């Protein structure tokens, strides 16, 4: 799988979906600000670090995929759930990179702010891509082993 930028999905998204993402993302940010004002910036930062628009994004991805299938006179429930699950997996991988970013930034920032940003960005990208490759390789390995164990029509494994 190649990683590429595709702008065609922007045309398939309705303006109302962008409005929902914007509103929920803004509400999450305001909530983080309120929590930060009440309990301190460290706690507020944790809330701000949460993917502010993930919930809206997952819901909209699921709905969009279901709608595409329904236009072809199919139900699309399973496809929508799978698309939302894939979106969630990507958010998790990105979050692992964000943890690496935060850790390295906090270590390097006393020495150099610019250096901290550069090192942290490199770490974020490296960890996120490495996690993606690891997940991809594990999924391929898991799929191959499941195929080997799959029973045949006679109830026996293909390789037994």
């Amino acid at each position: 799988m190649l990683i590429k930028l595709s702008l065609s999905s922007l045309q398939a998204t309705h303006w109302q979906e962008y409005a929902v993402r914007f509103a929920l993302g803004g509400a999450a940010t305001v909530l983080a600000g309120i929590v930060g004002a009440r309990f301190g910036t460290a706690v507020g930062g944790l809330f701000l670090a949460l993917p502010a628009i993930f919930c809206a994004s997952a819901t909209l991805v699921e709905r969009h995929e279901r709608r595409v299938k329904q236009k072809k006179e199919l139900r699309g429930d399973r496809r929508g759930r799978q698309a939302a699950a894939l979106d969630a997996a990507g958010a998790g991988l990105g979050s692992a990179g964000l943890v690496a970013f935060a850790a390295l930034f906090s270590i390097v920032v006393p020495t150099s702010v610019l250096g901290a940003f550069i090192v942290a960005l490199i770490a974020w990208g490296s960890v996120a891509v490495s996690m993606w490759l690891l997940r991809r390789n594990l999924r391929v390995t898991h799929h191959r082993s499941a195929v080997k164990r799959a029973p045949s029509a006679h109830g026996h494994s293909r390789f037994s």
Side-chain angles (χ1 to χ4, degrees):
M1 170 186 258
L2 294 174
I3 300 172
K4 63 180 183 175
L5 175 65
S6 174
L7 300 177
S8 63
S9 62
L10 294 175
Q11 295 171 343
T13 306
H14 301 296
W15 71 268
Q16 300 94 331
E17 294 174 350
Y18 288 115
V20 169
R21 289 178 184 176
F22 181 78
L24 289 175
T29 303
V30 168
L31 178 64
I34 292 169
V35 169
R38 172 74 174 101
F39 298 104
T41 56
V43 176
L46 290 174
F47 279 86
L48 192 57
L50 293 173
I53 61 170
F54 172 71
C55 296
S57 177
T59 303
L60 293 172
V61 164
E62 187 271 338
R63 187 173 27 187
H64 176 75
E65 289 298 322
R66 192 169 13 102
R67 190 171 44 231
V68 167
K69 286 292 188 178
Q70 286 172 347
K71 284 182 182 177
K72 296 178 182 180
E73 298 183 11
L74 302 169
R75 283 187 48 198
D77 294 338
R78 185 170 146 205
R79 170 75 178 232
R81 285 191 302 269
Q82 288 173 338
L86 187 59
D87 191 47
L93 299 177
S95 295
L98 187 59
V99 168
F101 178 97
L104 281 173
F105 186 85
S106 67
I107 292 169
V108 178
V109 77
T111 308
S112 166
V113 174
L114 180 59
F117 272 115
I118 292 169
V119 169
L121 283 173
I122 291 170
W124 182 30
S126 300
V127 169
V129 169
S130 297
M131 295 288 290
W132 176 78
L133 289 171
L134 178 65
R135 180 182 181 276
R136 180 175 176 233
N137 289 337
L138 287 175
R139 185 183 56 182
V140 169
T141 303
H142 175 70
H143 176 70
R144 286 182 185 152
S145 65
V147 168
K148 287 181 183 178
R149 287 178 286 174
S152 69
H154 303 292
H156 301 290
S157 173
R158 288 181 16 182
F159 297 98
S160 54

